[in-house]
Amino acid sequence: MATLIHTLADHTDDVNYCAFSSSCLATCSLDKTIRLYSLKDFTELPYSPLKGHTYAVHCCCFSPSGHVLASCSTDGTTMVWDTRDGRRLAVLEQPGGSPVRVCRFSPESTYLVSGAADGSVVLWNAQSLKLYRSGNVKDGSLVACAFSPDGNFFVTGSSCGDLTIWDDKMRCLYNEKTHDLGVTCCDVSSQPISDGEHGSRYFQMASCGQDNQIKLWLILFADFLGIELKYKCTLSGHSAPVLACAFSYDGQMLVSGSVDKCVIIYETSTGNILHTLSQHTRYVTTCAFAPYILLLATGSMDKTVNIWQFDHKQPCSGSITENESKMAVENWSEEDVLAWLHAQGLTDLVGIFKMHNIDGKELLNLTKENLTNELKIDGYSYEKDAMENWINNKRRSSPMTNLPLRSLLLTPNRTLKMAISRWLETHQKHDETT
């Protein structure tokens, strides 16, 4: 059951986009503003609305830490904001000044992508806020973007109907015509799918378009084989162009919004419709799930954002006591543990945990010795260059424990990197105020 628990009606024009962090909801509008709300009681934050764009704001997104927000506009800029005080950190001008339709942070906060009406795609360094790489789609305006959860690639969608897959060096890895009348939105699930027949692991992607369709795809990324994009199925239900789609954080649900004024929630494993929500009175332009709790936000040209809550519990809801939490974790399946790893930004450990069939009970009993001796995680972090030099010198043991390395694949310590990023953000803020 999905229950409408709150309606936000502060924007004075069409709502174009909404996005969640772990503590806030951001919305943006044709009225040129971005508004931020607390998830505790949906009150607007003291420094909201954010003003600075001179034309309509098309998209907004949070960095993984939630401390930074990006917004993009018809005015040809992407603006970067500090979500702790509403201060504007940077104005990034799109080359050529074309209206910017979409923006997205990479999972590590390494990059920020902006895509524009002239088909230009820009990869910005999210720390220095300087242009890193740029490119162009083959035809049409760039209107959609989504990163893979491991950050190895991102997908863009264009108004001519193409989906294009890029690596983090802005090299085009794959391009395919997918929606005859144009792509409107795309999203990549943080929950991978296993192919039991071949033992491969895929990322699941959804795309929607002006053709009234939602399509599900499987993306296989391999260092030597490149990218493989496999069509999975088409989800039916909407009677008009579909303007938005988004996965739940655990990948179990997909939500879509349409010109038919309806919001449809699907079960991704079966394609079955779980809920149809029809409270909006005009086109539904945006929809988003919260990252760790079962909340859904839907925005519309009726100038409102509806907040929905689901009645069934999921792991990591964050609303249970410590004892209840331990009991809940103890009952987690292996898939629940993998979903939790993704939610915590620990995507790189998913393969190891899956290989060892770690369920909730085993997760609670893990010790440093287990991680080191059985899972071969040595518990130490190293400079990437130093570790590559160590391996290039044909050393095959851990520099700290001297235990044999089961794999020579380097796994980024995303938690440490995000902590460093938060420290830098805090100290940059302090330096600027002293």
Side-chain angles (χ1 to χ4, degrees):
M1 175 74 72
T3 304
L4 179 63
I5 61 171
H6 204 91
T7 296
L8 304 171
D10 298 307
H11 283 295
T12 59
D13 212 328
D14 301 358
V15 175
N16 285 332
Y17 206 83
C18 55
F20 282 100
S21 71
S22 59
S23 60
C24 298
L25 170 68
T27 64
C28 61
S29 167
L30 281 181
D31 66 12
K32 310 175 190 177
T33 68
I34 306 102
R35 293 181 178 271
L36 286 97
Y37 302 88
S38 168
L39 294 189
K40 292 180 180 179
D41 52 10
F42 301 105
T43 56
E44 194 163 6
L45 299 184
Y47 56 78
S48 178
L50 303 178
K51 298 180 179 179
H53 287 293
T54 56
Y55 289 97
V57 186
H58 292 289
C59 185
C60 59
C61 63
F62 286 98
S63 66
S65 69
H67 293 165
V68 177
L69 178 78
S71 60
C72 58
S73 165
T74 301
D75 63 18
T77 69
T78 301
M79 294 189 179
V80 183
W81 313 82
D82 189 322
T83 60
R84 292 163 293 191
D85 56 16
R87 182 168 49 96
R88 189 169 65 189
L89 301 174
V91 178
L92 310 177
E93 297 184 2
Q94 195 79 3
S98 180
V100 186
R101 301 295 186 188
V102 65
C103 56
R104 199 73 76 237
F105 281 99
S106 67
E108 293 181 350
S109 281
T110 304
Y111 302 114
L112 171 64
V113 168
S114 62
D118 62 359
S120 61
V121 189
V122 177
L123 204 56
W124 306 89
N125 183 308
Q127 302 304 317
S128 67
L129 298 176
K130 302 294 184 184
L131 191 150
Y132 172 64
R133 293 276 197 280
S134 63
N136 280 82
V137 295
K138 288 200 320 182
D139 295 297
S141 300
L142 198 144
V143 295
C145 179
F147 270 93
S148 66
D150 59 8
N152 286 337
F153 64 89
F154 63 96
V155 183
T156 60
S158 76
S159 60
C160 72
D162 285 4
L163 287 174
T164 305
I165 303 176
W166 313 78
D167 68 8
D168 59 6
K169 301 294 188 297
M170 283 297 300
R171 292 176 294 207
C172 177
L173 303 176
Y174 191 90
N175 179 266
E176 182 172 329
K177 183 95 167 177
T178 56
H179 292 269
D180 289 339
L181 302 178
V183 174
T184 53
C185 188
C186 65
D187 193 27
V188 179
S189 172
S190 62
Q191 180 67 43
I193 292 178
S194 295
D195 180 351
E197 182 180 353
H198 301 99
S200 301
R201 296 177 64 75
Y202 294 86
F203 294 111
Q204 187 164 215
M205 179 178 69
S207 63
C208 56
Q210 298 285 353
D211 55 7
N212 306 0
Q213 295 184 337
I214 304 161
K215 296 182 179 181
L216 294 184
W217 309 85
L218 298 177
I219 304 174
L220 174 64
F221 181 80
D223 290 337
F224 301 106
L225 299 177
I227 285 281
E228 180 184 359
L229 182 66
K230 297 177 66 174
Y231 168 78
K232 183 180 178 184
C233 65
T234 296
L235 303 178
S236 59
H238 286 294
S239 60
V242 185
L243 303 181
C245 63
F247 285 101
S248 60
Y249 80 93
D250 59 4
Q252 295 177 16
M253 292 184 288
L254 179 76
V255 62
S256 59
S258 168
V259 169
D260 64 14
K261 307 175 189 176
C262 290
V263 173
I264 298 180
I265 302 167
Y266 301 88
E267 183 179 41
T268 54
S269 60
T270 63
N272 293 336
I273 294 177
L274 300 175
H275 310 282
T276 299
L277 313 174
S278 54
Q279 274 70 14
H280 285 295
T281 58
R282 294 193 66 197
Y283 301 174
V284 179
T285 53
T286 179
C287 45
F289 282 103
Y292 308 125
I293 54 179
L294 281 175
L295 289 179
L296 169 69
T298 61
S300 167
M301 290 176 67
D302 63 14
K303 308 176 188 177
T304 68
V305 176
N306 286 334
I307 311 297
W308 307 83
Q309 189 171 48
F310 298 87
D311 60 359
H312 59 283
K313 292 183 179 180
Q314 290 284 324
C316 310
S317 66
S319 59
I320 51 181
T321 66
E322 183 176 352
N323 288 337
E324 289 173 325
S325 177
K326 286 184 178 179
M327 290 175 63
V329 171
E330 187 173 4
N331 293 326
W332 283 3
S333 67
E334 293 175 25
E335 291 303 315
D336 290 334
V337 172
L338 300 183
W340 175 78
L341 288 172
H342 281 285
Q344 301 304 311
L346 302 174
T347 305
D348 300 297
L349 298 180
V350 166
I352 297 172
F353 275 61
K354 186 173 180 63
M355 183 190 308
H356 289 82
N357 306 111
I358 304 296
D359 59 14
K361 187 175 293 185
E362 290 174 322
L363 179 66
L364 289 174
N365 292 324
L366 282 180
T367 65
K368 184 175 180 180
E369 287 70 27
N370 295 141
L371 294 171
T372 301
N373 299 328
E374 296 177 29
L375 302 189
K376 304 302 180 185
I377 301 172
D378 75 359
Y380 298 95
S381 296
Y382 308 94
E383 289 278 353
K384 181 180 179 182
D385 290 345
M387 197 62 195
E388 286 177 341
N389 185 59
W390 177 272
I391 293 172
N392 288 337
N393 286 330
K394 299 185 178 180
R395 292 164 172 159
R396 298 295 181 265
S397 60
S398 164
M400 294 296 293
T401 67
N402 208 33
L403 292 171
L405 295 173
R406 174 171 291 186
S407 170
L408 299 182
L409 179 66
L410 298 183
T411 301
N413 188 334
R414 302 182 193 279
T415 304
L416 177 60
K417 187 166 187 175
M418 288 177 65
I420 293 171
S421 296
R422 287 194 291 269
W423 186 91
L424 288 172
E425 289 173 5
T426 301
H427 283 261
Q428 285 170 352
K429 178 181 174 183
H430 174 75
D431 291 344
E432 291 173 7
T433 56
T434 56

